[in-house]
Amino acid sequence: MRVLVIGSGGREHALVWKLRQSPRISDIYCAPGNGGISGEAECAPADQKSLESLVSVAHRLRPDLTIVGPELPLQLGMVDEFTRRGWPIFGPSKAAAQLETSKIFAKEFMQRHRIPTAPYAVCSSISEVKATLSRFSAPVVVKADGLAAGKGVVLSKSKEEATLAANEMLSGKMLGEAGSRVVIEECLKGDELSFLVFSDGERVVPLVAAQDHKRIGDGDTGPNTGGMGAYSFPGLLDEQMTHWLLQHIARPVLEGMKAEGMEYKGVLYCGLMITPRGPMVLEFNCRFGDPETQPILMRLESDLLEAIEASVEGRLSDGEFHWSKDAAVCVVMASGGYPGTIEVGKRISGIEPAEAIEGVKVFHAGTSARDGDYYTSGGRVLGVSSRAPTLEAAVERAYQAVKRIHFDGAHYRNDIAARALKNYRNQR
Ligand code: AMP
Ligand code: GLY
């Protein structure tokens, strides 16, 4: 079987790595891929912002199945177009992907279907923002309606800061059309949790949960990023809570989307805050998370292809996934300057010695390969990942591996999974 993965990040490298373990796959392609992926799949150039380019790649490669990594192709209607052509593809339609591509759609949908989320208001002018802020207390969150590549959410300590952020979004200078309307939202407190499920339109099956680390700095300080590291282990989410999340969040989303004529197929990422008032939805993503996918797939023992096919063909069942009881951790190494202006083109050394450590796999994100060497080519460069019988051991292995890798300007967080480790130790 021929499989095509769309995307170029660490998430796509993890997908390719896992899919390659499927005995039924004969050829695996990735468009456009990256330096590390090119060692494990045939990479084909493609413009992820152009539907025409994505169609033409698939036309040439003739995959039996296409798997979409990032959100942009979903917004372009890639799934609708491939489905129209009779080409099997894993992911939601353009209409269903509004759960991610429009924060206003997602908030209004949650309100209609009584899915727990923070109180909010929608504003399209600065005078509306000012009037709305008088009803909220600081800190407060300002969100651009549309896709903003991680730059559309500002956690504001004061109302002045919130007004400035909203003004910048509404002016169109920073985000263009994506910021033409904004959501003002209560700031929630608690632990974040990434809860992903597969859906075939009718049924939902959960994946193991993971936790991301969004801020650039140790101790959750500094600006938000695409994600600086993630971990997953059995202690993160018990069966009872999984059941609650399915019943109060994942299933109502699927049923609500179906009732509104937008059947949801693919993977649904529920970004949650576990607050003292219970779990609440911060956001939905209509795709696998990055970097959560790296530790999640490291714990997957069954065939990922089988589960994806079951979703595409509408025959998902509870027995779809088998998970290891091991823990997995991913530490992101980023380029100098990230998440601001970055430096690229730096030679990377030490990947092989890092992967010589038991249970370690280095997933590439912003890298390119040239003459047998890897060079940095993006903000998040590598997702140094490990699996071990305990969270403690997985963290230790991941950092041991990180210390073997070098490139100019490299930086990473030193506290991935640290809070979970502390809580876990206290419980024992
Ligand atoms: P989003 O793009 O909506 O996921 O937001 C990015 C990040 O901003 C989330 O992962 C949270 O860390 C944070 N965030 C978003 N909404 C809220 C909220 N209402 N309260 C606190 N933090 C939030
Ligand atoms: N890790 C957050 C995301 O994938 O959006």
Side-chain angles (χ1 to χ4, degrees):
M1 186 170 173
R2 301 155 65 84
V3 174
L4 168 65
V5 174
I6 303 296
S8 60
R11 162 185 53 206
E12 287 75 21
H13 193 178
L15 286 166
V16 163
W17 168 80
K18 190 69 208 172
L19 287 165
R20 263 168 56 103
Q21 296 169 14
S22 171
R24 289 176 41 236
I25 296 183
S26 57
D27 301 277
I28 182 149
Y29 305 97
C30 188
N34 63 36
I37 296 175
S38 65
E40 296 179 44
E42 187 181 325
C43 290
D47 178 359
Q48 298 176 73
K49 296 191 248 5
S50 155
L51 190 54
E52 206 185 334
S53 166
L54 296 166
V55 167
S56 116
V57 168
H59 194 70
R60 185 166 65 78
L61 299 174
R62 301 253 159 231
D64 300 299
L65 175 68
T66 298
I67 297 159
V68 188
E71 59 277 21
L72 210 53
L74 300 174
Q75 189 181 35
L76 293 175
M78 182 177 183
V79 171
D80 311 60
E81 180 60 24
F82 275 44
T83 306
R84 194 181 62 76
R85 291 169 179 261
W87 300 348
I89 183 162
F90 177 68
S93 66
K94 179 177 177 159
Q98 287 179 94
L99 281 174
E100 173 169 5
T101 60
S102 167
K103 300 240 187 256
I104 297 174
F105 176 90
K107 293 297 283 191
E108 290 175 347
F109 175 86
M110 284 189 270
Q111 197 169 39
R112 283 197 293 280
H113 297 280
R114 297 173 200 280
I115 294 163
T117 189
Y120 74 102
V122 176
C123 302
S124 45
S125 70
I126 201 68
S127 55
E128 268 183 279
V129 169
K130 284 181 181 153
T132 299
L133 283 172
S134 66
R135 294 190 276 116
F136 281 77
S137 49
V140 65
V141 185
V142 184
K143 298 182 174 184
D145 178 40
L147 289 182
K151 297 184 183 72
V153 175
V154 180
L155 308 180
S156 313
K157 282 187 218 72
S158 66
K159 293 189 183 181
E160 291 70 37
E161 213 178 301
T163 311
L164 275 176
N167 204 14
E168 202 162 331
M169 290 175 190
L170 291 167
S171 73
K173 270 185 248 149
M174 192 171 72
L175 301 169
E177 192 50 30
S180 63
R181 289 196 295 165
V182 298
V183 173
I184 305 286
E185 183 173 297
E186 182 186 309
C187 189
L188 299 175
K189 294 208 168 45
D191 277 324
E192 281 189 55
L193 188 74
S194 304
F195 179 66
L196 282 72
V197 299
F198 266 34
S199 162
D200 64 359
E202 290 284 338
R203 285 160 293 255
V204 283
V205 179
L207 278 64
V208 287
Q211 193 173 47
D212 189 7
H213 296 63
K214 288 248 164 57
R215 306 292 198 92
I216 186 71
D218 287 355
D220 292 329
T221 52
N224 263 352
T225 69
M228 291 301 290
Y231 66 92
S232 174
F233 79 118
L236 191 55
L237 185 64
D238 62 23
E239 226 169 277
Q240 197 184 350
M241 183 65 136
T242 304
H243 183 76
W244 193 96
L245 295 175
L246 286 173
Q247 200 178 351
H248 293 90
I249 295 173
R251 279 198 201 105
V253 173
L254 270 298
E255 283 160 15
M257 290 300 279
K258 192 165 178 214
E260 297 190 16
M262 292 169 278
E263 186 182 67
Y264 192 97
K265 284 177 97 162
V267 56
L268 176 70
Y269 167 132
C270 309
L272 309 174
M273 188 74 93
I274 311 301
T275 76
R277 285 178 282 164
M280 295 202 184
V281 176
L282 294 175
E283 61 161 346
F284 292 116
N285 291 321
C286 295
R287 49 170 176 82
F288 288 100
D290 191 345
E292 291 94 327
T293 302
Q294 291 81 318
I296 289 176
L297 292 186
M298 282 194 96
R299 293 188 56 205
L300 180 61
E301 298 207 313
S302 49
D303 190 335
L304 176 62
L305 175 69
E306 300 281 341
I308 290 178
E309 279 187 314
S311 159
V312 173
E313 291 165 13
R315 50 174 179 80
L316 264 184
S317 68
D318 283 337
E320 219 58 75
F321 296 110
H322 293 285
W323 301 102
S324 158
K325 291 201 162 38
D326 282 359
V329 173
C330 168
V331 178
V332 170
M333 296 182 76
S335 287
Y338 181 77
T341 313
I342 54 162
E343 306 156 7
V344 294
K346 311 290 182 193
R347 199 175 82 83
I348 306 167
S349 66
I351 292 180
E352 223 173 290
E355 288 193 322
I357 298 169
E358 191 191 347
V360 168
K361 169 75 189 169
V362 178
F363 295 114
H364 291 234
T367 75
S368 58
R370 200 169 357 114
D371 306 327
D373 277 320
Y374 294 116
Y375 293 85
T376 65
S377 66
R380 292 189 291 173
V381 177
L382 300 170
V384 182
S385 306
S386 74
R387 179 177 149 173
T390 65
L391 185 60
E392 209 159 359
V395 169
E396 202 178 301
R397 281 179 185 178
Y399 280 106
Q400 234 176 28
V402 163
K403 293 198 170 76
R404 294 188 180 183
I405 298 175
H406 297 280
F407 53 90
D408 277 356
H411 63 106
Y412 54 87
R413 275 182 64 162
N414 295 289
D415 63 345
I416 302 303
R419 206 136 50 101
L421 265 182
K422 203 167 135 204
N423 293 340
Y424 201 56
R425 277 198 201 108
N426 290 344
Q427 275 169 26
R428 273 186 301 182

